[in-house]
Amino acid sequence: RGVASGEQFLDVNGRKLYVIVRGDVTKGPPVICLPGAMGTAETDFAQQLEGFAPSMGVVAFDPRGYGKSRPPGRRYPADFYHLDAQDAAGIMDTLGINSYHVMGWSDGAISATILAANRPAAVKKLAVFGIQGFITKEDVESYEGLRDVEKAWSKRMLDTHRPVYGDDLQPMWSSFCDAMKMMYEAGGDMCQKEARLVKCPTFILHGAKDPLVPEHHPKWFHETIPNSKLHVFPEGKHNIHQKFADEFNRLVLEFFSE
């Protein structure tokens, strides 16, 4: 297929997207990684790009309007999760890869689920973590509580995202909080409809102490997706793939190679 390891900009669905490829994508199906809200390939998946590469091909990207896939800056139309899923599929199409695994964190887990539902012939396995399928009133309230980045965000979150976005961080995050509210008011479904259509083997991972995602969310996916398994990190929060990178990588690599 001739996909070289490295960084490149690809024209996908009318946007210029920043894409990183690591490892050998011809060695069995590679995995494409979908970042969380405000996230980029490097901020969200540095440890997986490095940790997976010796065993398999890894593709990660900055979603439209995030990181290096700007300008234009991020917008949140009602179907933004679907757009990210289409962009991920478009990246793999552009790279000439027609069989692959999908991994998503948080917002990216929602888009990953949509991608697995919409492209069953291409997507072999799905790994998701920090995932929720619908938005509740409590979720909207917790986003409102996090709206002011200077006051509400942890130092780690600010240190991750401020260098990427500078002064755009607050307006961009505010518009994300607005989008969550609109989604709740529109009925609250994020990807439940699609989750019911997922047929491929699915691995759901969760941090028992995740402050953003209550445990009923991953449990719902586990009960809904027929060919799925659930692994809980008892001490994990929202960033299990970073905090427990070695264990996380081992579990997910085993799942992809089964």
Side-chain angles (χ1 to χ4, degrees), residues 154-172:
S154 68
K155 185 182 181 315
R156 186 186 57 80
M157 274 175 72
L158 279 172
D159 290 349
T160 299
H161 295 296
R162 178 71 78 202
V164 180
Y165 297 110
D167 292 341
D168 290 340
L169 183 62
Q170 182 64 65
M172 200 162 169

Side-chain angles (χ1 to χ4, degrees), residues 78-124:
D79 63 346
F80 76 91
Y81 289 121
H82 292 260
L83 290 174
D84 288 340
Q86 285 164 19
D87 286 346
I91 287 166
M92 297 312 255
D93 290 344
T94 304
L95 293 173
I97 300 167
N98 52 23
S99 174
Y100 49 89
H101 306 311
V102 180
M103 183 170 81
W105 178 33
S106 200
D107 259 24
I110 296 168
S111 298
T113 302
I114 294 168
L115 174 51
N118 289 348
R119 300 285 288 263
V123 178
K124 299 305 162 203

Side-chain angles (χ1 to χ4, degrees), residues 39-232:
T40 68
E42 281 147 323
T43 59
D44 286 11
F45 293 117
Q47 284 143 304
Q48 284 66 47
L49 284 162
E50 191 185 326
F52 286 15
S55 316
M56 66 186 299
V58 197
V59 180
F61 69 108
D62 294 6
R64 55 171 64 204
Y66 285 160
K68 296 190 177 89
S69 297
R70 299 175 298 154
R74 182 76 168 184
R75 294 286 173 272
Y76 297 99
D79 63 346
F80 76 91
Y81 289 121
H82 292 260
L83 290 174
D84 288 340
Q86 285 164 19
D87 286 346
I91 287 166
M92 297 312 255
D93 290 344
T94 304
L95 293 173
I97 300 167
N98 52 23
S99 174
Y100 49 89
H101 306 311
V102 180
M103 183 170 81
W105 178 33
S106 200
D107 259 24
I110 296 168
S111 298
T113 302
I114 294 168
L115 174 51
N118 289 348
R119 300 285 288 263
V123 178
K124 299 305 162 203
K125 292 183 182 177
L126 172 66
V128 289
F129 51 104
I131 189 169
Q132 59 187 93
F134 54 93
I135 188 161
T136 63
K137 192 169 192 296
E138 291 69 41
D139 296 325
V140 173
E141 283 161 6
S142 71
Y143 283 117
E144 282 307 317
L146 289 168
R147 187 181 279 266
D148 185 331
V149 299
E150 289 300 330
K151 289 200 181 105
W153 280 25
S154 68
K155 185 182 181 315
R156 186 186 57 80
M157 274 175 72
L158 279 172
D159 290 349
T160 299
H161 295 296
R162 178 71 78 202
V164 180
Y165 297 110
D167 292 341
D168 290 340
L169 183 62
Q170 182 64 65
M172 200 162 169
W173 175 247
S174 288
S175 66
F176 175 80
C177 295
D178 295 341
M180 291 299 103
K181 203 171 163 196
M182 275 165 25
M183 198 165 274
Y184 169 68
E185 286 162 0
D189 188 2
M190 289 169 145
C191 66
Q192 285 181 295
K193 189 164 103 262
E194 289 77 18
R196 293 187 179 101
L197 302 172
V198 172
K199 299 283 186 283
C200 67
T202 300
F203 193 11
I204 303 143
L205 302 99
H206 181 67
K209 298 180 176 176
D210 190 327
L212 292 174
V213 181
E215 202 154 344
H216 67 82
H217 283 293
K219 281 185 169 152
W220 182 89
F221 281 91
H222 183 38
E223 287 157 14
T224 302
I225 299 174
N227 198 357
S228 69
K229 60 178 185 173
L230 172 62
H231 181 89
V232 177

